[in-house]
């Protein structure tokens, strides 16, 4: 079940727009400047990445290892104040060295959950957990 833009509030639409533009087929990194605060922080797998430019570099590196990456929101909801949004998603793409493993072009997918903080109608912070261990085990068996 893919989360659509219908009947979503502004904060949820902001997250869906980010996923569609940055993690969709176009990989539009300029959307990061439009949709995120300059001091944006993401904590992903326990690693903290600070600032939009650092985040762009991280996304570029990740997308080089997971080519044709696409993230589809399966479910999304927010608090009444629209300052926090939770998205449950599936990311898929072609393995070209994810987790430092040899790239084989195999199509892979994994699930994850992100919690987003919204400030001034922009994404300001995100905490991401994903099923990386399960995918790693699949790729090494």
């Amino acid at each position: 079940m893919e989360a659509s833009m219908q009947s979503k509030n502004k904060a949820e639409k902001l997250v869906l727009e980010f996923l569609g533009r940055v993690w969709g087929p176009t990989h539009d990194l300029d959307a990061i400047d439009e949709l995120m605060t300059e001091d944006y922080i993401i904590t992903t797998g326990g690693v903290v990445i600070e600032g939009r430019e650092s985040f762009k570099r991280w996304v570029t590196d990740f997308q080089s290892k997971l080519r044709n990456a696409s993230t589809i929101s399966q479910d999304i909801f927010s608090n009444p104040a629209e300052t926090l949004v939770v998205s449950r998603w599936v990311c898929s793409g072609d393995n070209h060295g994810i987790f430092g493993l040899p790239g084989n072009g195999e199509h892979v997918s994994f699930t994850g959950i992100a919690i987003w903080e919204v400030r001034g109608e922009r994404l300001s912070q995100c905490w991401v957990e994903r099923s990386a261990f399960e995918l790693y085990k699949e790729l090494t068996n």
Side-chain angles (χ1 to χ4, degrees):
M1 173 179 78
E2 182 178 333
S4 71
M5 296 282 265
Q6 290 183 321
S7 70
K8 301 292 178 195
N9 63 42
K10 279 184 173 182
E12 293 168 8
K13 286 179 181 178
L14 180 63
V15 167
L16 292 174
E17 181 178 357
F18 167 76
L19 292 175
R21 291 177 65 191
V22 176
W23 293 104
T26 61
H27 295 159
D28 178 9
L29 296 186
D30 290 334
I32 291 169
D33 292 328
E34 296 173 37
L35 304 174
M36 303 176 145
T37 60
E38 190 170 335
D39 62 348
Y40 178 77
I41 298 172
I42 183 171
T43 304
T44 176
V47 175
V48 178
I49 299 158
E50 298 184 54
R52 288 190 304 220
E53 294 306 315
S54 294
F55 181 60
K56 284 181 193 177
R57 286 190 296 276
W58 181 87
V59 170
T60 299
D61 182 57
F62 189 93
Q63 290 177 346
S64 74
K65 292 175 178 134
L66 188 69
R67 295 198 189 141
N68 303 311
S70 178
T71 300
I72 305 296
S73 181
Q74 302 296 296
D75 194 19
I76 191 165
F77 57 91
S78 60
N79 67 341
E82 298 182 33
T83 55
L84 291 173
V85 177
V86 177
S87 175
R88 181 177 59 85
W89 44 264
V90 175
C91 181
S92 61
D94 303 325
N95 174 21
H96 285 267
I98 195 167
F99 307 130
L101 297 171
N104 60 8
E106 178 183 352
H107 191 76
V108 298
S109 66
F110 56 93
T111 59
I113 293 178
I115 302 169
W116 306 84
E117 182 178 59
V118 178
R119 185 181 65 211
E121 297 187 7
R122 288 186 177 208
L123 301 171
S124 63
Q125 192 159 357
C126 183
W127 299 267
V128 178
E129 295 297 332
R130 58 190 173 278
S131 60
F133 179 67
E134 292 78 4
L135 178 56
Y136 179 83
K137 282 184 5 182
E138 179 183 322
L139 293 172
T140 56
N141 284 333

